[in-house]
Amino acid sequence: MTPKEGPALALADITCRFAARDATSEPYTAVANTTLNIARGEFVSVVGPTGCGKSTLLNVAAGLLEPSTGTVEVFGERLLSAHGVNRRAGYMFQADALMPWRTGIDNVIAGLEFRGVPRAEALAQGEAWLRRVGLAGFGDRYPHQMSGGMRKRLALAQTLILSPDILLMDEPFSALDVQTRQLMENELLALWAEDRKSVLFITHDLEEAIALSDRVVVLSAGPGTRPIGDFKVDLPRPRDVSEIRMTPAFLDLHREIWAAMKEEVLKAYQRQKAV
Amino acid sequence: MKLRIAQLLVLGLLVLFWYVMTKPGLVPPFYFDKDNRAAFFFGEPQKVFWVVVDWFLSGEIFPHLGITLLETALGFAIGAASGLGIGLWLALSPTASAIMDPYIKGFNSMPRVVLAPIFAVWFGLGIWSKVALGVTLVFFVVFFNVYQGVREVSPNLIANARMLGASKRQLLRSIYLPSAMSWVFASLHNAVGLAFVGAVVGEYLGSSMGVGYLILQAEGTFDINTVFAGILVLTACALALDSLVGTVERRLMTWQPKAGQTEKV
């Protein structure tokens, strides 16, 4: 490994404007003048009210969306849309993104298959990953035969099998029930602790953000979302997400960040009510 | 099993009703002025049955049926393949689809059966004019389904595959094609029927072979029993083809949730 300059992910002065639906209305600015750096091995959560452009930011980081202005640097290299998506990043989507026509194992090894890894080798790795996410023996099931939690595990294995240097996660557990969700959060932390990837984790759940991260970035309400707060989370690791929620240090942090977030959440709520 | 018995019962009752109403002398004529007129216009079930048996025993039907099925199969295969290919192409190329849009719409709204005489002139009275008619009918059904299927692929699925490193070709192979296939199979049941329509209508308009030709000949001599026999054979063949498509579909689409099987852990 040759250490290059720069953080794992550097979003500099990003603005995303979307064209208006008709000629009379203004173009919609989802994200405005946002700068965000993620150091190597750092777990950063981005929280903000619903509909504030969190996913837009993540899509920019993934190279799926080209920002109107601003630059994205990955380990010191410019990410240009002409070169396609961010190859060093893995992306876990909010909604189900598994291929319904592939069995569990074939979904897990899809990325290896795209990279031309021989099938026997890919299958061996795939089985190992199924075991790591607790799905050993479920490889021959189709996604529709699995529960929501199992599908999330499958998606996690599908992303992590490629061993991406950066992990982008868009509210990956928001569709799960509370118990499954805490289990998955603990599993994610355990997997992350093994090799400390850089993680950009998007969520609207402040508790989840604090429990998982090294740093929490608070976004303002849209339109024209930008970071309005940056909080260091110096809770000890390893953590148990369900236990850490009870500690005084956690509650202090929660109070502090919520104070910064509250106004934005109310603003977003008012705006949604007005529409 | 009970269902099967009920289904057979319905068939039996229908045939019985047909027999009673058409058998000369059984029921006094109440609509026609002579008691053999009903049999003349509607045929008689037992005679229809014997025509069919006779066709198969003498082997007379086989060359005709073979021709009709060949026309159907060719029309179906060529129409479905071109519908799949062009559907994929237009769905993935917005420019081409924008240019072709009015023509596709035009061809689709045209009653394409009117092309049959032109095809007869272009391709002669052999099987190819019937195949061509079948192709024009099948093509659009498959085309629109593929087009729709590709357009409705979840953007999430595409983004996910791209993040996993899929190239354009790999996207086509592992996302667009399988996703379109479920729509294609939904349309194939319709398409088989339409390929049959193409073959038989083509044979009506001019041919020297085929089940459509047999029916046309019988009509020319007011032989209603033979007409019904032809219709019966065609229907049986269409049903058989449809169940064949169903079998292939079940083989290839094992990943689709069946009713009552979703979300099973």
Side-chain angles (χ1 to χ4, degrees):
Chain A
M1 249 174 58
T2 49
K4 282 197 199 101
E5 291 303 307
L9 190 64
L11 306 179
D13 205 22
I14 299 287
T15 299
C16 288
R17 262 190 301 276
F18 291 101
R21 251 179 248 154
D22 48 82
T24 52
S25 57
E26 302 263 301
Y28 180 77
T29 308
V31 177
N33 310 104
T34 295
T35 298
L36 184 66
N37 289 323
I38 292 159
R40 295 165 194 225
E42 193 181 23
F43 197 126
V44 177
S45 283
V46 172
V47 291
T50 50
C52 76
K54 298 186 294 273
S55 301
T56 307
L57 209 56
L58 208 57
N59 284 337
V60 168
L64 289 169
L65 186 71
E66 197 182 5
S68 310
T69 61
T71 60
V72 181
E73 283 189 9
V74 182
F75 292 100
E77 277 176 50
R78 269 293 290 278
L79 181 67
L80 295 168
S81 65
H83 300 159
V85 296
N86 183 348
R87 284 176 185 282
R88 303 189 66 171
Y91 195 142
M92 218 179 135
F93 291 83
Q94 180 177 8
D96 236 349
L98 296 167
M99 290 169 252
W101 44 82
R102 286 182 178 228
T103 57
I105 182 80
D106 279 333
N107 262 297
V108 171
I109 65 167
L112 296 176
E113 195 186 304
F114 294 148
R115 278 166 175 69
V117 176
R119 188 165 168 84
E121 195 187 321
L123 279 176
Q125 282 191 49
E127 291 293 349
W129 267 102
L130 280 180
R131 267 197 303 282
R132 283 176 85 173
V133 297
L135 286 178
F138 289 101
D140 56 351
R141 296 240 187 145
Y142 287 98
H144 76 87
Q145 295 168 315
M146 297 187 182
S147 69
M150 289 163 86
R151 285 203 287 263
K152 283 295 170 201
R153 280 164 217 245
L154 203 59
L156 195 61
Q158 188 184 50
T159 305
L160 291 180
I161 196 171
L162 298 172
S163 179
D165 298 314
I166 304 167
L167 199 51
L168 306 170
M169 306 184 92
D170 185 5
E171 304 193 18
F173 308 136
S174 61
L176 301 176
D177 60 272
V178 179
Q179 287 81 10
T180 315
R181 186 173 176 165
Q182 292 189 348
L183 284 175
M184 290 291 301
E185 286 165 4
N186 274 336
E187 278 173 41
L188 174 66
L189 279 186
L191 287 170
W192 175 74
E194 285 174 22
D195 50 7
R196 296 253 169 173
K197 313 277 191 203
S198 311
V199 182
L200 178 53
F201 191 95
I202 301 271
T203 179
H204 60 255
D205 181 347
L206 184 53
E207 284 193 26
E208 183 179 44
I210 300 172
L212 294 174
S213 327
D214 299 320
R215 195 147 67 86
V216 174
V217 175
V218 179
L219 293 184
S220 70
T225 299
R226 66 200 186 285
I228 51 165
D230 194 330
F231 301 85
K232 206 144 191 69
V233 179
D234 42 12
L235 301 171
R237 292 188 188 270
R239 305 173 185 167
D240 181 309
V241 291
S242 46
E243 280 167 21
I244 205 165
R245 280 165 214 245
M246 313 298 171
T247 62
F250 181 95
L251 294 173
D252 285 344
L253 265 170
H254 190 277
R255 205 170 299 124
E256 190 189 344
I257 303 175
W258 176 244
M261 237 182 114
K262 192 173 169 187
E263 204 178 321
E264 298 304 320
V265 172
L266 287 174
K267 246 192 254 172
Y269 182 65
Q270 289 300 337
R271 193 163 292 129
Q272 279 185 348
K273 263 203 334 197
V275 170
Chain B
M1 210 58 233
K2 264 191 180 160
L3 192 68
R4 278 271 176 278
I5 294 170
Q7 284 170 341
L8 284 175
L9 206 66
V10 171
L11 180 70
L13 282 175
L14 269 174
V15 173
L16 187 71
F17 176 74
W18 186 7
Y19 176 79
V20 169
M21 295 311 280
T22 52
K23 174 85 184 157
L26 202 65
V27 177
F30 53 90
Y31 179 77
F32 298 106
D33 43 10
K34 283 192 191 149
D35 65 358
N36 63 354
R37 282 293 150 85
F40 178 79
F41 283 109
F42 294 99
E44 286 174 83
Q46 79 281 13
K47 286 186 182 162
V48 171
F49 175 75
W50 286 117
V51 172
V52 175
V53 170
D54 192 49
W55 271 347
F56 279 92
L57 286 183
S58 67
E60 187 196 346
I61 186 81
F62 292 121
H64 294 287
L65 196 55
I67 289 288
T68 303
L69 287 178
L70 180 66
E71 290 160 357
T72 305
L74 283 172
F76 176 71
I78 297 172
S82 56
L84 182 64
I86 295 178
L88 275 176
W89 174 52
L90 286 190
L92 294 176
S93 156
T95 324
S97 119
I99 294 170
M100 297 307 288
D101 184 61
Y103 301 102
I104 297 281
K105 278 195 183 131
F107 270 113
N108 185 46
S109 7
M110 180 168 76
R112 290 184 298 283
V113 178
V114 300
L115 293 175
I118 302 176
F119 286 148
V121 174
W122 288 352
F123 301 110
L125 293 178
I127 65 167
W128 291 106
S129 56
K130 288 84 183 171
V131 171
L133 188 59
V135 167
T136 61
L137 295 176
V138 169
F139 171 81
F140 283 93
V141 179
V142 176
F143 169 82
F144 280 110
N145 273 283
V146 171
Y147 190 75
Q148 188 84 350
V150 171
R151 282 298 175 91
E152 297 207 350
V153 176
S154 141
N156 259 324
L157 220 53
I158 297 164
N160 190 32
R162 284 183 64 200
M163 287 310 293
L164 292 172
S167 64
K168 281 225 152 122
R169 270 182 85 141
Q170 288 167 328
L171 269 185
L172 182 71
R173 244 188 57 114
S174 53
I175 305 289
Y176 288 116
L177 257 181
S179 175
M181 277 324 269
S182 53
W183 287 74
V184 170
F185 272 107
S187 68
L188 286 191
H189 289 279
N190 266 329
V192 167
L194 284 175
F196 236 138
V197 170
V200 174
V201 169
E203 284 166 4
Y204 269 169
L205 290 176
S207 60
S208 54
M209 282 293 257
V211 179
Y213 167 80
L214 278 185
I215 294 176
L216 188 67
Q217 292 296 303
E219 252 169 28
T221 58
F222 294 106
D223 183 359
I224 296 298
N225 290 325
T226 308
V227 173
F228 272 111
I231 292 170
L232 214 63
V233 170
L234 284 180
T235 308
C237 285
L239 273 177
L241 279 179
D242 193 67
S243 75
L244 193 69
V245 171
T247 311
V248 174
E249 183 180 5
R250 271 192 298 283
R251 273 282 173 76
L252 290 178
M253 310 299 267
T254 42
W255 58 269
Q256 274 193 335
K258 289 168 194 71
Q261 204 204 324
T262 43
E263 298 285 330
K264 197 173 71 184
V265 183

